[in-house]
Structure formats: structure tokens, C-alpha cells
């Protein structure tokens, strides 16, 4: 029996955990663990993102952990013999140790490839759907993914800095500035797969508009035209910053942005009210 070409693993950072998305036959979902008030849940299985929002609004303790090593190894053992190659898109190393753990376990398998990715929201699905549509082998998939990585850019604008500060993603003098002045950072999720603070604004709306101007500059320096890009806003069900972003994007481009409810894992790192503003090429442009 001939092996299928590529199997994919996605985790809680992807949109596949949402209720309305069915997994293709060659995609498996690996849940991360969420702890709320000391109780553990498998993200997207034991608890859905809407339920997480309700539980953490009162300020309950909320943290996450990596996927169970047993679940990860079981998936590797299941998929490695079944496919010529397996690609895993974990939470990127910028915000989680999941990537390093996945790489460590993958060394026992010659055909498992772990991507240190900067993809967000619906981009995971569009990439996998495109590669499935052309029945790509790993060489083609790897080139496609690398080119998408190069031409994907994301800025995160928190509305409440507490999650970033508590998680150590903003520290030292900058964390003091954010606490005392109640300022809003604009954070790049791109360079070397790191979270990088690229600006601090006194108002949330100003930070959002600043991030959109930065995206326009990114597009202008790319190999593609403005209309070749998808704009996507990932949010935590707080529509105030989303509406600000939509109006600001309309001033720059005729492209209508997608809006996507983010995963609960992202909320743990960015806090309620945060949005991310991403641009990436339309599939057929790569």
C-alpha cells in the first residue's frame, strides 16, 4: 500500500479547534492544557474558547502548559508510518516551549518536521488546504511554507498589559512604563520568531493605527502588491478594538479584513481585549 504524502499536526494555536471547522483526513489536532482556578482542561476538547472567556472574565487564575508528552509521542507513532512526511505546526518558540519539546521528540523519527511558525488564525487552514489541493510532497510544501513565513507579518496590540507582564514577555523598564503610564505596546510576532516590542502608545486606538501603518510598510517592501495580501484580525470577542482596526484598514486598502475569534491559548499570553493584525499573501500568489 502506497503511503500518503503528508500528514499534518496542529495544536491549540491554530483555528482548527473551533467548532465549525472539520479536520481534513490528514490533519490531527493536538490540544494544549489550560488551567483555570487549578482545574485542567484539554483546549478545544474539554472546553471551548467561548467558555474560557466566560471563566476568566472575573479574574480567575489562568495558565497553560504544553501538550502531554504521551499524546505527542502517540501522534508521532501513529502518523510517522502512515505518511511519507509529517509536518507539525506548534505554538511558536516566541511564546511557548512547545516547539523545543516537539523538536526533541521528533529526532527519533526521520520523517517528522516541526515548523517554528509565525502563522496565526485562518492562515494555518489556508496553507494546509492549498497544499492538499495540489497533493504536495514535502519538498514543495517546505518551499511553500518558507515563502509564506517570509511574507507573513503580525502585530499584537494588547488592551490589558497584565498577561504580558506576568508572563515575562515585557519586563524591566518597559513593564514599569506600561504599569505607571498605562500605555499600550505594539508587539511584532515575526523577527526570528520572537515577540519584539516595536512601539508604545498612550491610547489603544493609536497603537492599533500604528500597527496598521507598520503593516503597510511591510507590504510595500515585499515582492507582492497591496491587493495580493489577506488582512486578518484575531480577537478575544471584544469588538471595540476590532472596529477601530477595521476602520483604519479601510483607510489604507480596499481589502476587507477577515475577523477570527482567537484561541484560548493566545488569550493566556495576550489578555482579554487584545487583537492581532496579520497580513499574508493570498494562496495563489505564492
Amino acid at each position: 500500500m502506497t503511503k500518503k504524502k503528508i500528514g499534518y499536526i496542529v495544536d491549540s494555536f491554530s483555528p482548527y479547534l473551533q467548532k465549525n471547522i472539520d479536520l481534513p483526513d490528514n490533519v490531527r489536532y493536538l490540544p494544549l492544557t489550560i488551567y483555570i482556578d487549578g482545574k485542567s482542561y484539554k483546549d478545544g476538547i474539554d472546553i471551548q474558547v467561548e467558555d474560557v472567556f466566560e471563566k476568566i472574565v472575573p479574574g480567575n487564575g489562568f495558565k497553560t502548559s504544553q501538550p502531554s508528552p504521551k499524546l505527542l509521542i502517540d501522534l508521532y507513532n501513529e502518523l510517522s508510518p502512515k505518511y511519507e512526511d509529517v509536518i507539525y505546526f506548534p505554538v511558536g518558540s516566541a511564546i511557548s516551549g512547545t516547539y523545543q519539546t516537539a523538536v526533541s521528540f521528533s529526532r527519533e523519527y526521520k520523517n517528522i518536521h516541526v515548523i517554528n511558525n509565525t502563522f496565526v488564525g485562518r492562515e494555518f487552514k489556508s496553507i494546509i488546504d492549498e497544499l492538499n489541493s495540489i497533493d504536495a510532497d514535502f519538498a514543495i510544501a517546505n518551499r511553500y511554507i518558507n515563502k509564506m513565513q517570509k511574507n507573513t507579518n503580525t502585530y499584537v496590540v494588547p488592551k490589558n498589559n497584565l498577561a504580558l507582564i506576568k508572563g515575562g514577555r515585557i519586563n524591566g523598564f518597559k513593564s514599569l512604563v506600561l504599569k505607571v503610564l498605562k500605555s499600550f505596546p505594539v508587539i511584532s510576532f515575526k523577527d526570528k520568531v520572537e515577540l519584539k516590542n516595536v512601539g508604545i502608545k498612550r491610547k489603544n486606538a493609536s497603537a492599533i493605527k500604528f500597527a496598521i501603518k507598520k503593516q503597510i510598510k511591510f507590504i510595500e517592501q515585499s515582492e507582492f502588491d497591496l491587493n495580493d495580501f489577506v488582512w486578518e484580525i484575531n480577537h478575544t470577542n471584544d469588538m471595540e478594538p476590532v472596529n477601530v482596526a477595521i476602520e483604519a484598514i479601510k483607510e489604507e486598502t480596499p481589502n476587507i479584513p477577515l475577523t477570527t475569534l482567537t484561541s484560548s491559548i493566545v488569550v493566556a499570553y495576550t489578555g482579554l481585549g487584545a487583537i492581532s493584525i496579520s497580513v499574508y499573501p493570498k494562496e495563489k500568489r505564492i
Side-chain angles (χ1 to χ4, degrees):
M1 182 178 177
T2 304
K3 285 185 177 182
K4 296 181 181 179
K5 288 183 179 176
I6 302 180
Y8 298 93
I9 302 172
V10 296
D11 63 23
S12 296
F13 203 56
S14 82
Y16 278 112
L17 63 97
Q18 294 181 14
K19 297 175 184 177
N20 61 333
I21 298 178
D22 294 324
L23 290 174
D25 291 340
N26 64 332
V27 179
R28 297 295 302 275
Y29 171 66
L30 180 65
L32 276 70
T33 302
I34 299 172
Y35 296 90
I36 302 176
D37 265 4
K39 186 175 181 180
S40 66
Y41 304 87
K42 291 180 182 176
D43 188 25
I45 295 177
D46 300 330
I47 192 168
Q48 300 297 327
V49 63
E50 297 90 346
D51 302 321
V52 172
F53 292 158
E54 290 180 6
K55 288 180 180 293
I56 66 175
V57 166
N60 297 339
F62 179 37
K63 61 180 181 179
T64 67
S65 73
Q66 299 177 31
S68 157
K70 183 180 185 305
L71 286 178
L72 180 58
I73 293 171
D74 285 349
L75 261 186
Y76 283 180
N77 286 336
E78 174 192 344
L79 300 180
S80 179
K82 189 175 180 180
Y83 296 96
E84 292 178 6
D85 291 278
V86 177
I87 295 176
Y88 177 19
F89 295 100
V91 180
S93 64
I95 59 176
S96 172
T98 300
Y99 168 75
Q100 286 85 357
T101 299
V103 169
S104 178
F105 285 125
S106 73
R107 294 190 179 111
E108 301 297 321
Y109 307 83
K110 293 182 179 179
N111 65 338
I112 292 181
H113 315 277
V114 184
I115 305 298
N116 195 7
N117 80 84
T118 55
F119 303 132
V120 297
R122 304 188 199 189
E123 192 176 8
F124 288 95
K125 185 176 187 302
S126 67
I127 289 170
I128 293 173
D129 286 350
E130 177 66 14
L131 294 174
N132 277 340
S133 73
I134 62 174
D135 195 24
D137 60 19
F138 178 71
I140 292 173
N142 193 43
R143 287 197 296 271
Y144 184 89
I145 290 166
N146 286 337
K147 194 163 186 179
M148 287 295 286
Q149 291 260 47
K150 177 183 175 183
N151 291 283
T152 293
N153 200 46
T154 295
Y155 291 108
V156 179
V157 183
K159 193 174 183 180
N160 182 328
N161 299 320
L162 185 60
L164 290 167
I165 294 169
K166 286 178 67 176
R169 289 162 187 85
I170 296 179
N171 49 40
F173 177 73
K174 287 180 180 176
S175 71
L176 180 63
V177 169
L178 297 180
K179 287 178 182 177
V180 174
L181 299 182
K182 296 182 180 179
S183 300
F184 299 90
V186 178
I187 300 167
S188 171
F189 183 40
K190 170 77 175 175
D191 298 333
K192 300 178 183 178
V193 202
E194 294 173 350
L195 289 179
K196 181 180 178 182
N197 186 7
V198 296
I200 295 176
K201 298 295 179 180
R202 293 297 301 273
K203 295 181 179 179
N204 185 242
S206 298
I208 291 169
K209 292 173 183 178
F210 175 78
I212 290 165
K213 292 288 187 183
K214 295 280 287 183
Q215 290 292 34
I216 293 296
K217 289 182 180 179
F218 173 80
I219 291 172
E220 290 173 347
Q221 293 170 1
S222 77
E223 60 190 281
F224 300 105
D225 295 328
L226 181 62
N227 290 334
D228 294 334
F229 278 85
V230 175
W231 289 73
E232 182 173 350
I233 302 166
N234 282 264
H235 62 89
T236 66
N237 225 18
D238 180 343
M239 299 310 295
E240 181 182 3
V242 175
N243 291 333
V244 170
I246 290 172
E247 292 305 312
I249 291 169
K250 284 181 181 178
E251 293 178 5
E252 301 291 344
T253 172
N255 293 352
I256 299 173
L258 302 173
T259 57
T260 305
L261 186 65
T262 195
S263 71
S264 47
I265 292 298
V266 175
V267 179
Y269 295 116
T270 63
L272 288 169
I275 63 170
S276 67
I277 303 162
S278 300
V279 294
Y280 51 89
K282 297 173 182 176
E283 294 93 333
K284 302 303 180 184
R285 298 297 181 183
I286 293 291

